[in-house]
């Protein structure tokens, strides 16, 4: 709902009522980290995620999936801070942990690969970005229904990279796929739909189809 201060209030109340050795602290620290990230309080977010990570590593060292998810969350915060190197390091650590768990088609890996693709896109390493976006899309296609908005997001991201590479028709093909899914799965006024329309407009502009 975007009411981050209210969410934090209840999480802190929960925190004040828990003993210091309560097993649910790990999840609570994760949620406090998510709220702090959403509020733009990135250093605070990293502190909460680190607390959560320390508990998991001590109590469930072989739980590669949970540890990997936390590393991905840490990577997102570093990315939001503009530290692409540390973000990429955290994402790669998350992927490595899932591979150790022999869970290479886990649904969470789709978001990890997407996040790595975003970093490469920002660094203008477009072919590397495409490779990771394609990996993300392949996993999502195995686990999600065909009209899921995450698939729309993946097609949009792939379209952006093709546009950057000058592949305008390929970009428009992916934007149209994204738009078709988004119009079915999201509210009509959703900002993701607006974003795809903007991207389509830019691709047509690049093609000199100004009308």
């Amino acid at each position: 709902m975007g009411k981050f201060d209210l969410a934090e209030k209840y999480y802190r109340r929960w925190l004040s009522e828990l003993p210091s050795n309560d097993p649910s602290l790990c999840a609570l620290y994760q949620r406090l980290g998510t709220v702090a990230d959403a509020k733009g309080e990135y250093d605070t977010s990293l502190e909460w995620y680190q607390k959560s990570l320390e508990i998991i590593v001590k109590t469930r060292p072989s739980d590669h999936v949970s540890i990997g998810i936390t590393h991905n969350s840490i990577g997102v915060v570093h990315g939001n801070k503009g530290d692409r190197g540390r973000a990429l390091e955290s994402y790669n650590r998350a992927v490595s942990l899932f591979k150790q768990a022999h869970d290479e088609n886990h649904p969470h890996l789709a978001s990890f690969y997407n996040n790595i693709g975003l970093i490469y896109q920002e660094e203008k390493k477009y072919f590397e970005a495409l490779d990771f976006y394609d990996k993300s899309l392949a996993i999502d296609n195995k686990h999600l229904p065909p009209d899921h908005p995450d698939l729309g997001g993946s097609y949009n991201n792939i379209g952006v990279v093709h546009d950057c590479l000058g592949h305008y028709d390929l970009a428009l093909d992916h934007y149209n796929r994204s738009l078709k899914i988004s119009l079915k799965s999201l509210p009509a006024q959703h900002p993701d739909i607006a974003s795809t329309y903007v991207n389509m407009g830019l691709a047509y502009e690049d093609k000199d189809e100004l009308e």
Side-chain angles (χ1 to χ4, degrees):
M1 292 169 68
K3 298 180 179 180
F4 305 123
D5 289 333
L6 193 58
E8 184 180 2
K9 173 187 169 184
Y10 283 103
Y11 287 146
R12 285 190 177 276
R13 178 175 166 185
W14 181 15
L15 182 62
S16 70
E17 294 171 356
L18 288 178
S20 60
N21 61 346
D22 194 286
S24 61
L25 276 171
C26 181
L28 177 53
Y29 290 151
Q30 279 271 358
R31 291 170 195 177
L32 282 162
T34 302
V35 169
D37 182 36
K39 291 173 70 176
E41 297 171 358
Y42 301 132
D43 290 334
T44 302
S45 177
L46 287 171
E47 288 173 13
W48 287 122
Y49 284 138
Q50 194 60 43
K51 281 175 178 270
S52 178
L53 187 62
E54 286 168 7
I55 292 174
I56 304 173
V57 170
K58 280 181 185 173
T59 59
R60 291 178 283 162
S62 62
D63 187 353
H64 297 318
V65 169
S66 294
I67 296 170
I69 289 168
T70 306
H71 279 296
N72 179 69
S73 298
I74 289 169
V76 170
V77 182
H78 283 308
N80 289 337
K81 288 183 71 175
D83 191 340
R84 291 195 289 263
R86 293 183 78 176
L88 195 56
E89 187 181 304
S90 293
Y91 296 147
N92 282 323
R93 199 171 294 163
V95 170
S96 175
L97 283 158
F98 270 65
K99 287 182 176 178
Q100 286 179 50
H102 304 292
D103 215 342
E104 294 177 49
N105 285 303
H106 193 288
H108 279 294
L109 266 178
S111 66
F112 301 172
Y113 287 142
N114 182 73
N115 290 341
I116 293 171
L118 286 168
I119 295 291
Y120 282 129
Q121 181 183 318
E122 289 172 6
E123 293 182 339
K124 297 183 167 51
K125 296 178 179 176
Y126 296 125
F127 290 106
E128 290 93 332
L130 270 181
D131 182 45
F132 280 97
Y133 286 150
D134 284 339
K135 286 181 181 180
S136 175
L137 183 62
I139 293 172
D140 274 343
N141 273 322
K142 289 178 182 176
H143 296 285
L144 299 177
D147 292 332
H148 195 283
D150 283 1
L151 293 172
S154 289
Y155 284 123
N156 182 72
N157 289 345
I158 292 169
V160 169
V161 177
H162 280 302
D163 196 21
C164 292
L165 288 166
H167 307 156
Y168 305 129
D169 290 329
L170 262 177
L172 284 164
D173 177 56
H174 283 88
Y175 291 149
N176 275 306
R177 290 191 199 189
S178 173
L179 186 63
K180 185 177 178 183
I181 292 169
S182 296
L183 288 172
K184 283 184 178 179
S185 61
L186 297 174
Q189 301 301 312
H190 196 283
D192 284 0
I193 296 173
S195 175
T196 303
Y197 280 134
V198 169
N199 289 339
M200 293 174 81
L202 291 169
Y204 280 118
E205 191 175 331
D206 290 330
K207 282 167 61 78
D208 277 337
E209 296 183 17
L210 302 183
E211 291 293 337

